[in-house]
Amino acid sequence: SKGGTVAAIGCTIVFSGELTGDEDLEILGKVKGKIELPSHQLTVGEGGSVTAEIEAKSVLVIGQICGNVSATERVEVQANGIVEGDIRAPRLLIQEGAVVNGTIEMTKSDAAIRAKAPGRAPDIAAPSAPAPTA
């Protein structure tokens, strides 16, 4: 975000359609459709209601989202936040009292997976002695 500015959709605004942008966005009103902020943060503020597929760098949920949320960095659902949909993000914070109804996929970056893979110990160790027979 240039100069720390945040675009806002005010609490009386109702928007329907495809929302894209290259700055941080705070939604206090109602938005339906699709939201794409690939390099920026989406905040669904208190009283904000979003019915949309969301793709952003990070998503902060204080209000309500109905739809799938995909973030390349992190998703945070605060105590009064509600997400009715799937969440996909490498980092996730769900505060006590928040509601999330959907699947959660903690995506890992390709680099992290490659760094972990070579010479990894097996998850299940073979038993050291044969099991006694009856």
Side-chain angles (χ1 to χ4, degrees), residues 27-112:
I27 295 173
L28 301 167
K30 288 184 173 22
V31 172
K32 284 185 167 138
K34 187 177 174 117
I35 299 172
E36 285 186 36
L37 301 169
S39 311
H40 294 277
Q41 173 166 310
L42 171 69
T43 301
V44 179
E46 194 176 349
S49 175
V50 174
T51 303
E53 297 297 302
I54 295 167
E55 287 181 30
K57 185 168 89 171
S58 64
V59 180
L60 173 60
V61 187
I62 303 164
Q64 185 169 357
I65 292 175
C66 184
N68 299 329
V69 180
S70 181
T72 53
E73 275 192 8
R74 73 190 300 263
V75 172
E76 178 178 341
V77 187
Q78 291 200 347
N80 296 325
I82 299 171
V83 177
E84 298 279 352
D86 299 341
I87 295 177
R88 190 185 162 115
R91 292 194 292 288
L92 175 62
L93 173 63
I94 301 176
Q95 290 188 1
E96 190 174 339
V99 175
V100 175
N101 290 317
T103 64
I104 291 171
E105 189 176 334
M106 304 285 290
T107 54
K108 286 259 186 274
S109 72
D110 290 342

